[in-house]
Amino acid sequence: MEVSVKTTCPRDCYDSCGILVTAKSDGTLRVAGDPEHPVARGALCAKCGVAYNGVFQDPEARLTTALRRSGPKGSGQFEPVGLAEAINSVADRLASVIETRTPADILAMSYSGTMSLLASGVPSRFVNATGASEVDDGTICNRSGVSAWELMFGTAQYGFDPRTARDSSCILVWGANPAHSGPHAYRHWLGEAPGKVVVVDPVRTRTAADADLHLQPRPGTDAALAFGILNALDDMSAFNESFIAAHVVGADEVRAAIEAMRPAKASAMTGVPEADIREAARCYAAGPALLWCGQGLQRQARGGNIMRAVGLLPALTGNLGKPGAGIYYLNDVATRFGIDADWLEGTKLRRVEGRTVGALDLATALADPQGFGAFLVWNTNPVASAANSRALKAALSRDDLFVVAIDLFLTDTARYADIVLPAASFLEFDDITAGYFNLALGVQSMAAEPPGDALPNQEIFRRLASAMGLEEPALFEPDDAVIAALLDQAGFPGGFDALREAGEWRFGDEPHIAFADLAFDTPSGHIEVASAQAESMGLSRVPVADIDSPPADGRLRLLSPASQWRLNDSYANDPRLMRRASPAEITLHPADADRLGIESGQMVSIKNAQGELRLTAIVSDVVLPGTAMSYKGRWPQLEPGGDNLNLLYDGTKNDLGESSAVHGIEVAVAPVG
């Protein structure tokens, strides 16, 4: 008899889809969208629906036993080893680093490979208890935007409740493409919202093409565009002067810059038609309006300033603290439910301070023999996703660097490990999910036993703690006790079985209004357009309307957004998705293709000082002249030349938060042959 259980997708995605998993008579699982879930509505996105029924259940692709390296690092040559022996080997080497060097000479790195609370949070107890150093995960993805809106609004993780869109006359989506990165948010939320949708994106994405209005600025000109829209809003007397007087600090310090950025001037600087700038202002002025800033927006040289400039729109129009209005960059759903992240991650277990390494400095940090003696990595694949990928490969090849990878698959990073430990997938253990868009807790239900010796992340770290002789009780707290404590913290009216039956629990029956009290966690308690904190950090006191210089010498600016077929670099090894996403392509505007003598389907070289890749050209006006686009997330080991786009990124940081400026890469493109 077939048996079904409810669970929730824990991936790095806006949707947090409800899933119905059915154990079939042949022992396999059928993974489908839960028809009763308000987000999934019975369907999964193209990538998850394929991968969860494909590579996630493939016994040939999954790691089912621990592995010990038997060949050169990076070669992928391993021999099977018993799990207990492997864990003891890891424990002995980590203990040796602690004894002969310092605990801080162990570097731990994890990110969003799975975002369920136990699998992502509990391993930090081990890291804290040992005193290991950590990679600052915010610098991998979104720290610049977080820092910018913390300066301005006091937080970037307290966004609007998506349900409030029912009261909004306009949704302004700036630098996000939910058609790829949140397909259900795109289809069911944005597609069904009653207000007009305005999209700002340098690429005519599917989200942009379906919008009521698409503004397509040249990359790096977003701040000037924001000031141009503000000028048009001022022309319409759309600034809420009473709101500004009561809740905004420093508005007068940007008035002159706004007055100087007439829409015609903004049009000349950005390439966006003046009429579209004024129409966007009219839509936003009608209010109440929502502003969604995507994480790709801040991955450019002046990303922090751009986030502050765009944040002026709600600040000066008063689009905060009321139904249908608000801002969104992230929602810290777990914290809003009352979950204690410090308790979950065992912050109090730390007795010895480690070091913090920015993600963009990873290759340099690991290359130094005096820096780190061990590298412990899980929930992420930095060889496929980090800057300076060739330098990182060289650093991971150090004979004296002990590398441990915990994963479902033999990823590019795992190929450089001395010991690989097999991880369980989200289908194989109980947990709780808390996404970063919809305000809901979801259930994660065990639908099958992990294959072979695979274990959930948290259980692997419990066994490592035991092998190292650590004694803190929090290191050994079982899953059911942690889950019960989290549900108690959240105030869920029932135990885990009740959540399993329901599938998810929403944050109230009505939309929650962010900043309803119009109190902001800034030094002044107000929205800080002018920020002394920013000034002390060497930044401009107020946002400015500057732009990036266009590429010179015939180069193109390379954008690398999210693909429809991969979730960051997850699912890149699923055979069906590989076929759909191959070959690796680069999209060029017809004017650039004509200038360079390139036709669609032709092999081209793209290179800069970092290196060279060969991709297949696609000629399309979805990108602007001077701009090229290639989707991120491919595994280097599966590419003909053994590299992906990160080969071309040298790790240059943007203006705030030690964050990525990957969308500022410039490349020379030429036909091959």
Side-chain angles (χ1 to χ4, degrees):
M1 184 178 69
E2 294 186 345
V3 178
S4 299
V5 297
K6 291 187 175 185
T7 190
T8 308
C9 183
R11 316 307 289 181
D12 186 1
C13 171
Y14 294 101
D15 289 339
S16 296
C17 287
I19 295 175
L20 197 64
V21 185
T22 303
K24 299 192 294 183
S25 57
D26 63 1
T28 63
L29 302 176
R30 180 172 64 248
V31 185
D34 181 357
E36 298 179 350
H37 193 272
V39 173
R41 303 188 193 181
L44 294 180
C45 70
K47 44 185 172 274
C48 291
V50 171
Y52 294 158
N53 290 288
V55 72
F56 270 59
Q57 297 186 53
D58 183 352
E60 298 300 317
R62 287 286 302 274
L63 294 173
T64 60
T65 183
L67 302 174
R68 177 188 289 123
R69 180 170 62 87
S70 60
K73 288 191 174 184
S75 67
Q77 297 175 26
F78 294 91
E79 60 184 10
V81 62
L83 182 63
E85 181 181 349
I87 286 176
N88 286 333
S89 295
V90 173
D92 289 345
R93 286 295 298 268
L94 296 183
S96 175
V97 172
I98 291 172
E99 181 179 350
T100 61
R101 300 174 60 137
T102 70
D105 285 346
I106 300 169
L107 180 63
M109 182 178 187
S110 67
Y111 197 46
S112 57
T114 181
M115 298 182 69
S116 55
L117 295 182
L118 273 67
S120 62
V122 170
S124 292
R125 295 182 177 187
F126 176 87
V127 176
N128 283 316
T130 57
S133 298
E134 296 181 89
V135 173
D136 181 351
D137 59 12
T139 61
I140 297 172
C141 189
N142 54 33
R143 176 57 53 75
S144 185
V146 168
S147 299
W149 276 11
E150 283 178 345
L151 290 171
M152 199 167 196
F153 301 106
T155 182
Q157 302 191 60
Y158 186 51
F160 60 67
D161 183 337
R163 294 174 294 181
T164 200
R166 71 188 192 189
D167 298 310
S168 180
S169 69
C170 174
I171 301 177
L172 175 56
V173 181
W174 202 312
N177 179 22
H180 283 187
S181 56
H184 289 79
Y186 155 74
R187 184 178 302 111
H188 299 150
W189 178 74
L190 198 61
E192 296 173 0
K196 288 190 174 181
V197 175
V198 179
V199 171
V200 182
D201 200 301
V203 178
R204 192 172 71 248
T205 63
R206 186 175 176 186
T207 304
D210 288 345
D212 295 290
L213 178 65
H214 174 209
L215 277 58
Q216 191 172 13
R218 287 191 289 269
T221 65
D222 300 86
L225 178 58
F227 274 79
I229 295 173
L230 288 162
N231 184 287
L233 287 166
D234 196 19
D235 277 353
M236 291 183 286
S237 301
F239 287 175
N240 188 330
E241 298 296 348
S242 61
F243 180 91
I244 293 170
H247 304 294
V248 181
V249 171
D252 288 344
E253 297 185 40
V254 295
R255 299 267 188 177
I258 292 171
E259 290 170 3
M261 189 57 70
R262 301 295 298 165
K265 180 180 179 182
S267 176
M269 296 175 69
T270 66
V272 177
E274 179 181 351
D276 288 352
I277 294 174
R278 293 191 180 277
E279 179 61 21
R282 279 190 289 270
C283 291
Y284 195 79
L290 299 175
L291 170 65
W292 174 352
C293 282
Q295 297 184 31
L297 177 62
Q298 44 92 72
R299 294 178 192 150
Q300 45 189 323
R302 293 177 174 85
N305 177 69
I306 287 168
M307 287 289 293
R308 294 173 70 199
V310 175
L312 291 171
L313 272 70
L316 300 185
T317 60
N319 267 298
L320 287 165
K322 57 187 179 183
I327 58 175
Y328 172 74
Y329 184 61
L330 292 167
N331 271 327
D332 185 350
V333 172
T335 298
R336 284 166 81 159
F337 270 95
I339 287 173
D340 186 344
D342 286 334
W343 173 84
L344 176 64
E345 297 174 3
T347 301
K348 291 183 179 179
L349 296 175
R350 185 170 285 276
R351 302 287 185 266
V352 180
E353 285 302 315
R355 302 191 295 276
T356 299
V357 175
L360 298 176
D361 299 319
L362 181 62
T364 301
L366 291 178
D368 180 7
Q370 304 304 314
F372 293 102
F375 182 48
L376 184 59
V377 58
W378 69 100
N379 276 5
T380 189
N381 180 12
V383 171
S385 60
N388 279 319
S389 57
R390 284 189 179 170
L392 179 58
K393 292 176 185 178
L396 291 173
S397 298
R398 282 175 43 205
D399 287 335
D400 59 340
L401 178 68
F402 181 64
V403 179
V404 181
I406 301 169
D407 214 302
L408 280 69
F409 308 107
L410 194 63
T411 65
D412 294 273
T413 304
R415 291 170 67 91
Y416 285 85
D418 294 283
I419 296 288
V420 180
L421 301 176
S425 85
F426 81 103
L427 298 167
E428 297 153 2
F429 61 96
D430 292 336
D431 208 328
I432 301 172
T433 67
Y436 52 79
F437 187 59
N438 299 295
L439 303 188
L441 290 183
V443 70
Q444 181 177 302
S445 301
M446 181 176 179
E449 292 290 337
D453 290 334
L455 293 170
N457 292 343
Q458 60 272 25
E459 178 60 24
I460 289 173
F461 281 97
R462 289 189 191 105
R463 297 191 184 193
L464 272 175
S466 177
M468 291 184 68
L470 303 179
E471 298 179 347
E472 290 85 349
L475 296 174
F476 307 101
E477 193 170 11
D479 283 3
D480 57 354
V482 178
I483 289 172
L486 294 176
L487 292 178
D488 184 63
Q489 291 172 12
F492 177 66
F496 187 71
D497 287 342
L499 184 62
R500 195 197 313 268
E501 179 71 21
E504 72 158 20
W505 183 44
R506 290 259 158 170
F507 190 65
D509 295 327
E510 292 296 315
H512 178 75
I513 306 303
F515 301 112
D517 57 1
L518 294 177
F520 302 90
D521 191 19
T522 58
S524 66
H526 302 301
I527 299 170
E528 295 198 350
V529 167
S531 170
Q533 284 183 300
E535 203 169 26
S536 70
M537 296 163 66
L539 305 172
S540 172
R541 178 174 167 82
V542 296
V544 295
D546 59 4
I547 64 174
D548 293 350
S549 299
D553 302 324
R555 297 192 302 269
L556 303 178
R557 182 153 171 165
L558 178 63
L559 306 179
S560 50
S563 166
Q564 179 183 2
W565 303 116
R566 289 176 297 278
L567 207 163
N568 299 320
D569 60 78
S570 293
Y571 314 149
N573 62 328
D574 185 276
R576 284 185 291 171
L577 294 178
M578 288 171 63
R579 287 194 294 271
R580 292 179 182 182
S582 294
E585 297 170 337
I586 183 168
T587 301
L588 309 172
H589 188 272
D592 291 317
D594 184 64
R595 173 176 59 86
L596 297 168
I598 293 170
E599 298 179 355
S600 278
Q602 186 173 4
M603 186 67 67
V604 298
S605 161
I606 61 171
K607 65 179 180 179
N608 59 17
Q610 289 292 108
E612 179 181 6
L613 295 175
R614 293 192 172 187
L615 307 179
T616 300
I618 299 295
V619 179
S620 171
D621 63 0
V622 299
V623 296
L624 294 165
T627 305
M629 179 187 70
S630 186
Y631 291 119
K632 68 176 181 178
R634 305 181 78 92
W635 282 13
Q637 64 176 286
L638 301 177
E639 297 304 295
D643 291 298
N644 66 7
L645 289 175
N646 283 11
L647 167 70
L648 304 172
Y649 179 37
D650 64 1
T652 297
K653 300 172 186 176
N654 71 3
D655 58 344
L656 181 61
E658 299 285 301
S659 291
S660 173
V662 67
H663 290 320
I665 293 175
E666 294 184 6
V667 294
V669 181
V672 173

